Amino acid sequence: MGVTAALGGCSGGTAATPNTTLKLVAADYGDSEANSSQKYWDKLVKEYEKKNPGIEVDVSVYSWNEVDAKVKQMVADGEAPDMAQIGAYADYAAKGQLYEVDELLSIPVQADFVSRLAEAGEVGRVQYGMPFASSTRLLFYNKELFDEAGLTPPESWSELADAARVLKSRGVETPYALPLGPEEAQAETMMWLLSGGDGYTGTVGSYGLDSDQNIATFNWLKNDLVGKGLTGPTPPGKLNRADAFEAFTRGEVGMLNGHPSLMQAAEKKGVEYGMVPLPGINGRAKATMGVADWMMAFKENGNGEEIGEFLDFVYSEKNVLEFSHEYNLLPVTTSASEAMAVDKNDKDLDPFLSELENAELYPVAKTSWAQVSADIKQQIGKAVGPNARPAAVLGSLQRSASAADSAE
């Protein structure tokens, strides 16, 4: 660390101020007490403090249901933590509350971020958000159901619909699970918009939810999947991702879009699965969705040098790999990604890794994204209802997004 720190960045060179305590608030990626992120951080901090006497790191871990609100309240109360590992950084960056990344990290560590993720952490071409965890999406299918029906994995929308029709005829309860419920509708929506050739924003970065391509995508979903009874007994607007995943692990779902954690859940229940890139209109989708969570550092306590030293340690190849393995996530650094790619024990993650460099991420650099995402979660399910007009629903969301963007 001493060598890399001396090469550049505000973290370099001099010893840290004695008896400094850094406060970190982090999200919990575990699904039980046994694998709580608190245990990961406690182990990492113990190792760091042993190597850096005089520096203490106090880590508080909260569930995803509360961590963003917890940090927001701390900042509002004038008690910002030194670091926060949460879902969004743009609001704080826009208010001038965050350190720039090049004020913190040594040059080798900063340069090691996967470039696509580093770019997503920028506001006005200045990086404030440091990617901490990442994931991409693939189409999962139930191998047993496909083999019994003589089906091959779909590469296009028409092939997906054809396979779903065959599965339905054979009594599969949910041929394709379409979770547009409020838990994570913004993710399923984005995957379909990308597979239809567009997305949430246009080439100049402004919202374009009601583009002709996006309307055509939702018309197809409404008429060719939902309208044909191929998405199961629960209306998509009421189906949440967790419930869809759970149904897949019970063998009740033929196909759904999923991330790496679904592999382990399916294996535990003895469900054989396959994974392929997301189908597009006339073949494989040109882009898949990527997701990143963010580390950020607040200026309020003035501990930039100490924060930089600690984060250089956090983002070492060893620690990034350990976190990724523990929670079935993709590394956010090139060195850890390359190490994972050549490790035969990580072979299952190869398809996800190969999608990461060209994945499209949420427009997280927009401070309006939090509100737009919340609106999508609540409204998009209505676009595929029996009497719905997708153009009207997407038009309403676009007007709200434009208003939020203007307010930004």
Side-chain angles (χ1 to χ4, degrees):
M1 260 187 60
V3 174
T4 58
L7 292 176
C10 187
S11 59
T14 60
T17 304
N19 303 317
T20 298
T21 298
L22 300 177
K23 174 72 176 177
L24 166 62
V25 175
D28 194 354
Y29 290 82
D31 55 15
S32 67
E33 187 176 341
N35 70 342
S36 165
S37 293
Q38 188 71 58
K39 292 190 174 182
Y40 169 82
W41 284 112
D42 287 349
K43 179 175 178 290
L44 182 146
V45 165
K46 183 177 181 180
E47 183 180 348
Y48 180 77
E49 290 178 346
K50 184 177 180 181
K51 295 179 179 179
N52 295 271
I55 299 293
E56 295 182 358
V57 185
D58 178 16
V59 183
S60 300
V61 172
Y62 297 93
S63 77
W64 275 109
N65 292 331
E66 58 181 338
V67 68
D68 288 280
K70 191 78 176 177
V71 172
K72 185 177 182 179
Q73 188 61 54
M74 292 173 72
V75 173
D77 292 342
E79 299 175 354
D82 294 285
M83 295 161 284
Q85 186 273 299
I86 51 178
Y89 65 87
D91 277 355
Y92 304 115
K95 295 174 184 174
Q97 295 169 323
L98 301 181
Y99 283 105
E100 297 178 14
V101 174
D102 62 9
E103 294 179 292
L104 300 167
L105 301 180
S106 63
I107 291 172
V109 173
Q110 186 177 359
D112 197 26
F113 287 127
V114 173
S115 60
R116 186 69 192 89
L117 300 178
E119 290 167 8
E122 295 177 356
V123 174
R125 298 191 177 183
V126 176
Q127 187 181 357
Y128 297 92
M130 291 161 275
F132 185 76
S134 68
S135 176
T136 56
R137 300 292 197 267
L138 294 172
L139 179 74
F140 282 69
Y141 63 96
N142 183 307
K143 270 190 173 180
E144 183 178 354
L145 296 178
F146 266 63
D147 289 346
E148 289 174 351
L151 295 170
T152 56
E155 295 183 0
S156 66
W157 288 1
S158 60
E159 290 179 6
L160 186 148
D162 288 343
R165 280 192 289 271
V166 172
L167 292 172
K168 182 183 179 182
S169 72
R170 296 176 62 85
V172 175
E173 186 174 79
T174 305
Y176 178 84
L178 183 66
L180 295 177
E183 180 191 3
E184 206 193 26
Q186 85 285 1
E188 186 74 13
T189 298
M190 184 169 173
M191 284 181 268
W192 279 101
L193 298 185
L194 290 171
S195 72
D198 206 346
Y200 284 134
T201 57
T203 54
V204 296
S206 57
Y207 289 110
L209 279 77
D210 62 347
S211 70
D212 290 344
Q213 287 170 295
N214 289 345
I215 291 171
T217 294
F218 266 83
N219 279 333
W220 187 87
L221 285 172
K222 176 183 181 295
N223 298 325
D224 291 67
L225 280 189
V226 182
K228 300 287 177 60
L230 302 178
T231 53
T234 304
K238 295 184 179 180
L239 180 64
N240 283 324
R241 183 197 66 184
D243 296 326
F245 278 20
E246 182 66 27
F248 185 81
T249 66
R250 294 195 300 265
E252 298 168 2
V253 173
M255 299 171 280
L256 81 171
N257 294 330
H259 52 62
S261 70
L262 184 55
M263 296 190 301
Q264 189 177 63
E267 288 166 1
K268 284 181 179 178
K269 296 293 183 69
V271 173
E272 280 195 73
Y273 62 88
M275 304 179 299
V276 292
L278 303 185
I281 299 176
N282 298 310
R284 176 178 172 176
K286 294 180 180 178
T288 189
M289 185 186 76
V291 176
D293 301 321
W294 302 96
M295 178 74 76
M296 62 213 70
F298 288 90
K299 295 179 179 179
E300 186 173 309
N301 301 316
N303 293 324
E305 182 178 339
E306 293 84 352
I307 292 169
E309 292 279 2
F310 176 65
L311 291 179
D312 271 3
F313 179 75
V314 168
Y315 283 105
S316 68
E317 180 183 315
K318 168 183 170 292
N319 288 327
V320 171
L321 277 172
E322 186 171 332
F323 182 84
S324 301
H325 285 141
E326 180 66 32
Y327 299 108
N328 289 305
L329 293 163
L330 302 182
V332 297
T333 62
T334 301
S335 60
S337 296
E338 290 173 347
M340 183 176 279
V342 298
D343 189 337
K344 63 182 180 180
N345 295 320
D346 292 321
K347 210 66 182 170
D348 286 350
L349 287 169
D350 280 355
F352 294 97
L353 277 171
S354 66
E355 297 285 324
L356 183 58
E357 190 60 48
N358 295 313
E360 294 288 334
L361 279 74
Y362 298 132
V364 290
K366 288 178 168 290
T367 59
S368 58
W369 170 241
Q371 182 59 53
V372 173
S373 175
D375 290 344
I376 292 168
K377 289 180 182 181
Q378 295 301 319
Q379 302 296 327
I380 197 64
K382 298 175 183 177
V384 295
N387 300 311
R389 289 179 54 240
V393 176
L394 289 169
S396 175
L397 286 168
Q398 173 61 27
R399 289 190 292 275
S400 297
S402 295
D405 215 18
S406 296
E408 177 183 324

